[in-house]
Structure formats: structure tokens, C-alpha cells
Amino acid sequence: MSLLVDTSVWSLALRRDAPGGAAEVRALRAALESGETVVCTGLVLQELLQGFTGPKARDEILHRFSALPFVSPDWTDHVDAAELRNHCRRKGVQLATIDALIAQLCIRHDLTLLGADADFRHAARVSPLRVWQGA
């Protein structure tokens, strides 16, 4: 299984003052330690850089994430993400614009989403999105 890890999980994993006991953080750690493919996208990197301040935090994030494979959205991904968001809304599921694009990248690249946001789990019930299910 290849994972795209959402900002919510990375944020928990990188915080020095937060306990690392969340199931999603343990799953991320296990995936990294086992050599499982962990993928990122620019949106997640940008959100992390915006959330952590100072040059030391910035440099640490850039260093860590330089080792990860990146997937980038193209024109079709944006179109398909809009359709995914509209489809979810018609099914009674609210999905933010950025979350729809992250979900679309997972669908297109056959990735499982590892996130702590319940909106992704709701979207997975009405779309082809696969989300990590805690053990």
C-alpha cells in the first residue's frame, strides 16, 4: 500500500509538544520504518511550512520532505477534483477545495490517504477514495 499523508498527520508527527500516540502517527512511523512508499504533494508541504515558524523548522521540513516522492496535480486533476467535490456535496458530504484535490490525487495515483480529518472518511463512503483504516 502506498500512502499520501495529509497535513493533519504530518503536523501531529512533527510537533515537539504533541504526543506521538495518535494511531495515524503510529501508522506513518510504521510505514516509514518498513520502507513503504509515502508520497507527498505541494499542497501538504505548503500547509506545513505555513504552520511551523522559523528558519530552523523550515529547513528541517524541507530536508525531511526532499526524500519523499511528490505527486503534482495537472489540469485534469483540478477538473476531476471539482467533480469529486460536487459529487460529494450531492451525497451530503462536505469536502473543502484543497481536500478534494488531495483526494483526487489519491484516486488518480492509486494511493491510500492517511489523514486525521473525518471529512476524508465521509468522502470515501461516496467515492473511490481509499482512506487508511486504523488497526
Side-chain angles (χ1 to χ4, degrees):
M1 168 173 50
S2 297
L3 297 173
L4 191 152
V5 180
D6 184 47
T7 308
S8 58
V9 176
W10 282 117
S11 182
L12 287 171
L14 295 172
R15 292 186 69 86
R16 297 196 193 289
D17 61 345
E24 294 86 359
V25 173
R26 289 193 312 271
L28 171 58
R29 193 170 289 123
L32 291 169
E33 289 172 357
S34 71
E36 192 171 331
T37 302
V38 175
V39 176
C40 193
T41 187
L43 295 166
V44 170
L45 177 60
Q46 181 180 340
E47 287 181 326
L48 285 170
L49 290 169
Q50 291 169 178
F52 287 85
T53 57
K56 185 176 179 183
R58 177 190 177 276
D59 291 346
E60 184 177 329
I61 290 169
L62 291 176
H63 174 73
R64 289 180 184 211
F65 280 75
S66 68
L68 297 178
F70 263 62
V71 292
S72 297
D74 64 15
W75 188 85
T76 303
D77 290 314
H78 290 281
V79 172
D80 291 345
E83 181 55 37
L84 175 63
R85 186 170 185 267
N86 291 339
H87 171 78
C88 286
R89 189 176 60 236
R90 286 191 300 273
K91 298 290 185 179
V93 174
Q94 295 300 316
L95 194 59
T97 299
I98 289 176
D99 291 348
L101 186 55
I102 289 170
Q104 173 55 36
L105 288 171
C106 288
I107 293 167
R108 174 180 170 208
H109 293 281
D110 195 29
L111 303 167
T112 298
L113 181 66
L114 175 58
D117 185 340
D119 290 345
F120 288 121
R121 289 190 299 278
H122 299 308
R125 290 195 321 259
V126 298
S127 75
L129 175 64
R130 285 192 327 262
V131 295
W132 175 82
Q133 301 295 320

